[in-house]
Amino acid sequence: MVVPFNKRLVFCLFLICSFSVLMFSQTTKQKVDLLFLKLDKTINKTSIVKIDSAYAMSKSINYKSGMLKSQVFKAAWYLNCNDDVKSCLKILKAIEPEALDSEDFDMISYLKLTKGVSYFNLMFTEEAKKEFDLALMYAEKIHNSKIRHNRKGTIYIYIGSNFVGPKTTKRTTRSNQLALANLKKGYTEMSFLKNGNHTDKIAFANSCRALSYYYMHTEEFDLAEFYINKSLKIVTILEDKVEMSFIFSERAYLYLAMKNFKEAIKNFEASNSIIENTKIGEHLLQHNYNNLALAYEKLGDSENQRKFLKKFNHISRNANVKFVDDVNQAVLNISDDIKLKHKEEKGTLEIGIIIISIATIVLIIIAVFFLKRYKTEKNSKEELKALLDEKMKKLNSLSDKFSEKDEKELANVVSLAISNDASFLFKFNELFPKFSENLLKVSPSLKSSDLTICSYIKLNFDTKEIARYGGDSVRSVESKKYRLRKKLNLTSTDDMNIFIAKF
């Protein structure tokens, strides 16, 4: 049967249009995927334009995978470029159920990793660990070997970092072993990328930086310096300013731990200079200012110490408000995760109890966070005066009478100790210039931490007070005092308070 000419023409036009739409869709998908490849290499402040463009193109052709992936990248952009955990978690919360239904393991592992880092930054370590474990499970299924090595390496580094930091000294040898084992796994995964492109080399540099951080906290300074310098060399060759600012800051922190205060200052200033010029990583300034004040205190430069303490306090006030906001968003996300997990098993009442428990824990974390920074504001003037009067009365009974001028200085030093002020030791040494020197004559092996305990004892602080105002546990202070007794050759019958009061 012969098809009439007009119908044949319409049929041909239909085929041409269908083919054109198909070709347009394929071309658009390729453009979107190419954008994702570029974004995967580097995310910076300007990346939001490309991310929004990828989303718009994906939406125009109903490319669901592209729409989801662009949202994951947007969440990562908020987290990494703006330190905006709240916005990051809001996006992930909205898209996670649909993303988990997809077969895109690269996207899912990236989503779980980003979510884990958000929780990690807010100190929700247990929740972060759960997300990292899931991210690792999905990362194992990624077909592209480079992406797989990068993702697995990053996850191992974050898992290892959970055991590193100020809490390391309170943890077991087993914890340290777990930290090092995971960090080495991360380094091994990243070693496959060290001769790759820019992103691959940055990933390898970050694995070196993570190992340096671990060795610094275990006081293996030679290894720490080796890995941080290796990391800095890589990013310097790549001229990656953002990474350089982070590594200069971490190298400065290492030199601070090594008591090389001049080198520490030089590296903190190099980090600040890059941040101020690029306007990227500004949240790092808070850390840098605080440690610059400490370095200048150790060098006896009170003018610069006050200058950077002032900068630190100014930036801290803004950071505290943002921290509370981010924590509230994290609580909502964690609560929703719990609801989803127990939807078929748990009743509404039990879920409510869990949510309330989490909210209570968060409030405790926030309270501790503010207490450490604003201890002076938390104590009333009447309470502070009563404590000072008590300390002054006891000190006058154990030592020669102080002059009126010295009493005022002593009252100021005691007040700084109670407030856990950063300038406490500096002012203490001004008031008792021979104290540390005479103690070191008795026991040259005394460390700075020992001298700090001695300064509290000199001011007649008991164990509970040292723990409370020094931000430590009672058991930890008791252990330190026990070791201090041995170093000072004191017997069980010797009164350490009377002994130290004589210096």
PDB file of all heavy atoms in Angstrom, residues 4-26:
ATOM      1  N   PRO A   4       0.197   8.109   1.271  1.00  0.00           N
ATOM      2  CA  PRO A   4       0.054   9.407   0.615  1.00  0.00           C
ATOM      3  C   PRO A   4       1.244  10.316   0.939  1.00  0.00           C
ATOM      4  O   PRO A   4       1.828  10.248   2.022  1.00  0.00           O
ATOM      5  CB  PRO A   4      -1.255   9.952   1.196  1.00  0.00           C
ATOM      6  CG  PRO A   4      -1.997   8.755   1.670  1.00  0.00           C
ATOM      7  CD  PRO A   4      -0.982   7.778   2.093  1.00  0.00           C
ATOM      8  N   PHE A   5       1.520  11.240   0.029  1.00  0.00           N
ATOM      9  CA  PHE A   5       2.711  12.080   0.145  1.00  0.00           C
ATOM     10  C   PHE A   5       2.706  12.901   1.440  1.00  0.00           C
ATOM     11  O   PHE A   5       3.684  12.982   2.135  1.00  0.00           O
ATOM     12  CB  PHE A   5       2.799  13.004  -1.076  1.00  0.00           C
ATOM     13  CG  PHE A   5       3.934  13.989  -0.987  1.00  0.00           C
ATOM     14  CD1 PHE A   5       5.228  13.589  -1.218  1.00  0.00           C
ATOM     15  CD2 PHE A   5       3.695  15.317  -0.624  1.00  0.00           C
ATOM     16  CE1 PHE A   5       6.259  14.491  -1.123  1.00  0.00           C
ATOM     17  CE2 PHE A   5       4.724  16.209  -0.531  1.00  0.00           C
ATOM     18  CZ  PHE A   5       6.021  15.816  -0.790  1.00  0.00           C
ATOM     19  N   ASN A   6       1.552  13.506   1.766  1.00  0.00           N
ATOM     20  CA  ASN A   6       1.503  14.377   2.957  1.00  0.00           C
ATOM     21  C   ASN A   6       1.738  13.595   4.249  1.00  0.00           C
ATOM     22  O   ASN A   6       2.409  14.052   5.154  1.00  0.00           O
ATOM     23  CB  ASN A   6       0.176  15.127   3.007  1.00  0.00           C
ATOM     24  CG  ASN A   6      -1.021  14.193   3.018  1.00  0.00           C
ATOM     25  OD1 ASN A   6      -0.905  13.035   2.651  1.00  0.00           O
ATOM     26  ND2 ASN A   6      -2.177  14.713   3.446  1.00  0.00           N
ATOM     27  N   LYS A   7       1.211  12.390   4.331  1.00  0.00           N
ATOM     28  CA  LYS A   7       1.434  11.550   5.519  1.00  0.00           C
ATOM     29  C   LYS A   7       2.882  11.080   5.593  1.00  0.00           C
ATOM     30  O   LYS A   7       3.470  10.989   6.671  1.00  0.00           O
ATOM     31  CB  LYS A   7       0.488  10.351   5.509  1.00  0.00           C
ATOM     32  CG  LYS A   7      -0.977  10.743   5.734  1.00  0.00           C
ATOM     33  CD  LYS A   7      -1.843   9.501   5.844  1.00  0.00           C
ATOM     34  CE  LYS A   7      -3.305   9.889   6.125  1.00  0.00           C
ATOM     35  NZ  LYS A   7      -4.166   8.698   6.249  1.00  0.00           N
ATOM     36  N   ARG A   8       3.437  10.760   4.417  1.00  0.00           N
ATOM     37  CA  ARG A   8       4.842  10.327   4.380  1.00  0.00           C
ATOM     38  C   ARG A   8       5.747  11.449   4.866  1.00  0.00           C
ATOM     39  O   ARG A   8       6.717  11.225   5.599  1.00  0.00           O
ATOM     40  CB  ARG A   8       5.192   9.923   2.960  1.00  0.00           C
ATOM     41  CG  ARG A   8       6.572   9.277   2.851  1.00  0.00           C
ATOM     42  CD  ARG A   8       6.919   8.974   1.413  1.00  0.00           C
ATOM     43  NE  ARG A   8       5.951   8.053   0.851  1.00  0.00           N
ATOM     44  CZ  ARG A   8       5.920   7.753  -0.452  1.00  0.00           C
ATOM     45  NH1 ARG A   8       6.764   8.311  -1.290  1.00  0.00           N
ATOM     46  NH2 ARG A   8       5.024   6.910  -0.905  1.00  0.00           N
ATOM     47  N   LEU A   9       5.428  12.673   4.474  1.00  0.00           N
ATOM     48  CA  LEU A   9       6.233  13.835   4.866  1.00  0.00           C
ATOM     49  C   LEU A   9       6.178  14.052   6.385  1.00  0.00           C
ATOM     50  O   LEU A   9       7.192  14.279   7.037  1.00  0.00           O
ATOM     51  CB  LEU A   9       5.729  15.088   4.140  1.00  0.00           C
ATOM     52  CG  LEU A   9       6.457  16.406   4.458  1.00  0.00           C
ATOM     53  CD1 LEU A   9       7.936  16.300   4.091  1.00  0.00           C
ATOM     54  CD2 LEU A   9       5.810  17.558   3.703  1.00  0.00           C
ATOM     55  N   VAL A  10       4.945  13.938   6.916  1.00  0.00           N
ATOM     56  CA  VAL A  10       4.780  14.108   8.361  1.00  0.00           C
ATOM     57  C   VAL A  10       5.546  13.027   9.120  1.00  0.00           C
ATOM     58  O   VAL A  10       6.200  13.296  10.131  1.00  0.00           O
ATOM     59  CB  VAL A  10       3.286  14.064   8.740  1.00  0.00           C
ATOM     60  CG1 VAL A  10       3.109  14.014  10.257  1.00  0.00           C
ATOM     61  CG2 VAL A  10       2.562  15.263   8.165  1.00  0.00           C
ATOM     62  N   PHE A  11       5.484  11.807   8.588  1.00  0.00           N
ATOM     63  CA  PHE A  11       6.185  10.687   9.217  1.00  0.00           C
ATOM     64  C   PHE A  11       7.697  10.926   9.231  1.00  0.00           C
ATOM     65  O   PHE A  11       8.379  10.687  10.231  1.00  0.00           O
ATOM     66  CB  PHE A  11       5.843   9.389   8.472  1.00  0.00           C
ATOM     67  CG  PHE A  11       6.484   8.164   9.051  1.00  0.00           C
ATOM     68  CD1 PHE A  11       6.087   7.669  10.303  1.00  0.00           C
ATOM     69  CD2 PHE A  11       7.495   7.503   8.372  1.00  0.00           C
ATOM     70  CE1 PHE A  11       6.673   6.544  10.838  1.00  0.00           C
ATOM     71  CE2 PHE A  11       8.089   6.376   8.914  1.00  0.00           C
ATOM     72  CZ  PHE A  11       7.674   5.893  10.148  1.00  0.00           C
ATOM     73  N   CYS A  12       8.221  11.417   8.093  1.00  0.00           N
ATOM     74  CA  CYS A  12       9.668  11.700   7.993  1.00  0.00           C
ATOM     75  C   CYS A  12      10.073  12.815   8.968  1.00  0.00           C
ATOM     76  O   CYS A  12      11.119  12.743   9.622  1.00  0.00           O
ATOM     77  CB  CYS A  12      10.037  12.102   6.576  1.00  0.00           C
ATOM     78  SG  CYS A  12       9.951  10.740   5.398  1.00  0.00           S
ATOM     79  N   LEU A  13       9.222  13.843   9.020  1.00  0.00           N
ATOM     80  CA  LEU A  13       9.518  14.948   9.928  1.00  0.00           C
ATOM     81  C   LEU A  13       9.513  14.476  11.380  1.00  0.00           C
ATOM     82  O   LEU A  13      10.342  14.907  12.206  1.00  0.00           O
ATOM     83  CB  LEU A  13       8.481  16.066   9.744  1.00  0.00           C
ATOM     84  CG  LEU A  13       8.600  16.895   8.448  1.00  0.00           C
ATOM     85  CD1 LEU A  13       7.411  17.832   8.310  1.00  0.00           C
ATOM     86  CD2 LEU A  13       9.902  17.688   8.454  1.00  0.00           C
ATOM     87  N   PHE A  14       8.579  13.559  11.687  1.00  0.00           N
ATOM     88  CA  PHE A  14       8.519  13.010  13.045  1.00  0.00           C
ATOM     89  C   PHE A  14       9.802  12.257  13.394  1.00  0.00           C
ATOM     90  O   PHE A  14      10.354  12.402  14.485  1.00  0.00           O
ATOM     91  CB  PHE A  14       7.312  12.085  13.166  1.00  0.00           C
ATOM     92  CG  PHE A  14       7.259  11.315  14.455  1.00  0.00           C
ATOM     93  CD1 PHE A  14       6.863  11.939  15.643  1.00  0.00           C
ATOM     94  CD2 PHE A  14       7.641   9.971  14.495  1.00  0.00           C
ATOM     95  CE1 PHE A  14       6.829  11.230  16.825  1.00  0.00           C
ATOM     96  CE2 PHE A  14       7.616   9.274  15.685  1.00  0.00           C
ATOM     97  CZ  PHE A  14       7.203   9.899  16.853  1.00  0.00           C
ATOM     98  N   LEU A  15      10.273  11.452  12.417  1.00  0.00           N
ATOM     99  CA  LEU A  15      11.515  10.707  12.647  1.00  0.00           C
ATOM    100  C   LEU A  15      12.701  11.646  12.835  1.00  0.00           C
ATOM    101  O   LEU A  15      13.551  11.439  13.705  1.00  0.00           O
ATOM    102  CB  LEU A  15      11.779   9.761  11.466  1.00  0.00           C
ATOM    103  CG  LEU A  15      10.866   8.531  11.348  1.00  0.00           C
ATOM    104  CD1 LEU A  15      11.190   7.748  10.078  1.00  0.00           C
ATOM    105  CD2 LEU A  15      11.026   7.630  12.571  1.00  0.00           C
ATOM    106  N   ILE A  16      12.745  12.683  12.011  1.00  0.00           N
ATOM    107  CA  ILE A  16      13.857  13.647  12.102  1.00  0.00           C
ATOM    108  C   ILE A  16      13.841  14.360  13.457  1.00  0.00           C
ATOM    109  O   ILE A  16      14.877  14.510  14.114  1.00  0.00           O
ATOM    110  CB  ILE A  16      13.774  14.679  10.947  1.00  0.00           C
ATOM    111  CG1 ILE A  16      14.068  13.981   9.624  1.00  0.00           C
ATOM    112  CG2 ILE A  16      14.758  15.820  11.176  1.00  0.00           C
ATOM    113  CD1 ILE A  16      13.754  14.849   8.413  1.00  0.00           C
ATOM    114  N   CYS A  17      12.642  14.784  13.889  1.00  0.00           N
ATOM    115  CA  CYS A  17      12.517  15.477  15.177  1.00  0.00           C
ATOM    116  C   CYS A  17      12.902  14.567  16.336  1.00  0.00           C
ATOM    117  O   CYS A  17      13.603  14.973  17.271  1.00  0.00           O
ATOM    118  CB  CYS A  17      11.092  15.986  15.362  1.00  0.00           C
ATOM    119  SG  CYS A  17      10.678  17.358  14.269  1.00  0.00           S
ATOM    120  N   SER A  18      12.426  13.320  16.267  1.00  0.00           N
ATOM    121  CA  SER A  18      12.746  12.363  17.333  1.00  0.00           C
ATOM    122  C   SER A  18      14.244  12.125  17.415  1.00  0.00           C
ATOM    123  O   SER A  18      14.830  12.078  18.503  1.00  0.00           O
ATOM    124  CB  SER A  18      12.021  11.029  17.088  1.00  0.00           C
ATOM    125  OG  SER A  18      10.635  11.206  17.085  1.00  0.00           O
ATOM    126  N   PHE A  19      14.855  11.976  16.225  1.00  0.00           N
ATOM    127  CA  PHE A  19      16.305  11.752  16.182  1.00  0.00           C
ATOM    128  C   PHE A  19      17.046  12.975  16.730  1.00  0.00           C
ATOM    129  O   PHE A  19      18.036  12.846  17.462  1.00  0.00           O
ATOM    130  CB  PHE A  19      16.733  11.460  14.740  1.00  0.00           C
ATOM    131  CG  PHE A  19      18.201  11.190  14.600  1.00  0.00           C
ATOM    132  CD1 PHE A  19      18.752   9.995  15.027  1.00  0.00           C
ATOM    133  CD2 PHE A  19      19.043  12.156  14.042  1.00  0.00           C
ATOM    134  CE1 PHE A  19      20.106   9.746  14.893  1.00  0.00           C
ATOM    135  CE2 PHE A  19      20.392  11.918  13.916  1.00  0.00           C
ATOM    136  CZ  PHE A  19      20.931  10.710  14.338  1.00  0.00           C
ATOM    137  N   SER A  20      16.559  14.170  16.370  1.00  0.00           N
ATOM    138  CA  SER A  20      17.196  15.413  16.832  1.00  0.00           C
ATOM    139  C   SER A  20      17.114  15.538  18.353  1.00  0.00           C
ATOM    140  O   SER A  20      18.082  15.925  19.016  1.00  0.00           O
ATOM    141  CB  SER A  20      16.529  16.630  16.177  1.00  0.00           C
ATOM    142  OG  SER A  20      16.679  16.586  14.785  1.00  0.00           O
ATOM    143  N   VAL A  21      15.930  15.225  18.884  1.00  0.00           N
ATOM    144  CA  VAL A  21      15.752  15.286  20.342  1.00  0.00           C
ATOM    145  C   VAL A  21      16.678  14.299  21.032  1.00  0.00           C
ATOM    146  O   VAL A  21      17.318  14.603  22.050  1.00  0.00           O
ATOM    147  CB  VAL A  21      14.281  15.000  20.721  1.00  0.00           C
ATOM    148  CG1 VAL A  21      14.144  14.812  22.239  1.00  0.00           C
ATOM    149  CG2 VAL A  21      13.392  16.131  20.249  1.00  0.00           C
ATOM    150  N   LEU A  22      16.764  13.085  20.454  1.00  0.00           N
ATOM    151  CA  LEU A  22      17.638  12.057  21.025  1.00  0.00           C
ATOM    152  C   LEU A  22      19.090  12.511  21.003  1.00  0.00           C
ATOM    153  O   LEU A  22      19.821  12.373  21.992  1.00  0.00           O
ATOM    154  CB  LEU A  22      17.472  10.744  20.248  1.00  0.00           C
ATOM    155  CG  LEU A  22      18.310   9.560  20.748  1.00  0.00           C
ATOM    156  CD1 LEU A  22      17.914   9.199  22.178  1.00  0.00           C
ATOM    157  CD2 LEU A  22      18.126   8.361  19.822  1.00  0.00           C
ATOM    158  N   MET A  23      19.514  13.064  19.844  1.00  0.00           N
ATOM    159  CA  MET A  23      20.889  13.536  19.708  1.00  0.00           C
ATOM    160  C   MET A  23      21.170  14.686  20.666  1.00  0.00           C
ATOM    161  O   MET A  23      22.240  14.774  21.275  1.00  0.00           O
ATOM    162  CB  MET A  23      21.162  13.980  18.267  1.00  0.00           C
ATOM    163  CG  MET A  23      21.221  12.839  17.261  1.00  0.00           C
ATOM    164  SD  MET A  23      22.504  11.602  17.700  1.00  0.00           S
ATOM    165  CE  MET A  23      23.983  12.595  17.489  1.00  0.00           C
ATOM    166  N   PHE A  24      20.153  15.588  20.805  1.00  0.00           N
ATOM    167  CA  PHE A  24      20.311  16.718  21.719  1.00  0.00           C
ATOM    168  C   PHE A  24      20.468  16.230  23.157  1.00  0.00           C
ATOM    169  O   PHE A  24      21.314  16.710  23.913  1.00  0.00           O
ATOM    170  CB  PHE A  24      19.096  17.647  21.612  1.00  0.00           C
ATOM    171  CG  PHE A  24      19.092  18.754  22.628  1.00  0.00           C
ATOM    172  CD1 PHE A  24      19.932  19.852  22.483  1.00  0.00           C
ATOM    173  CD2 PHE A  24      18.262  18.688  23.747  1.00  0.00           C
ATOM    174  CE1 PHE A  24      19.935  20.872  23.430  1.00  0.00           C
ATOM    175  CE2 PHE A  24      18.257  19.702  24.691  1.00  0.00           C
ATOM    176  CZ  PHE A  24      19.094  20.795  24.526  1.00  0.00           C
ATOM    177  N   SER A  25      19.655  15.238  23.509  1.00  0.00           N
ATOM    178  CA  SER A  25      19.729  14.686  24.867  1.00  0.00           C
ATOM    179  C   SER A  25      21.083  14.049  25.128  1.00  0.00           C
ATOM    180  O   SER A  25      21.689  14.250  26.191  1.00  0.00           O
ATOM    181  CB  SER A  25      18.620  13.654  25.084  1.00  0.00           C
ATOM    182  OG  SER A  25      17.353  14.255  24.989  1.00  0.00           O
ATOM    183  N   GLN A  26      21.570  13.271  24.155  1.00  0.00           N
ATOM    184  CA  GLN A  26      22.866  12.612  24.296  1.00  0.00           C
ATOM    185  C   GLN A  26      23.985  13.634  24.413  1.00  0.00           C
ATOM    186  O   GLN A  26      24.891  13.504  25.243  1.00  0.00           O
ATOM    187  CB  GLN A  26      23.121  11.670  23.111  1.00  0.00           C
ATOM    188  CG  GLN A  26      22.261  10.424  23.107  1.00  0.00           C
ATOM    189  CD  GLN A  26      22.493   9.551  24.340  1.00  0.00           C
ATOM    190  OE1 GLN A  26      23.612   9.445  24.832  1.00  0.00           O
ATOM    191  NE2 GLN A  26      21.425   8.943  24.827  1.00  0.00           N
TER     192      GLN A  26
END
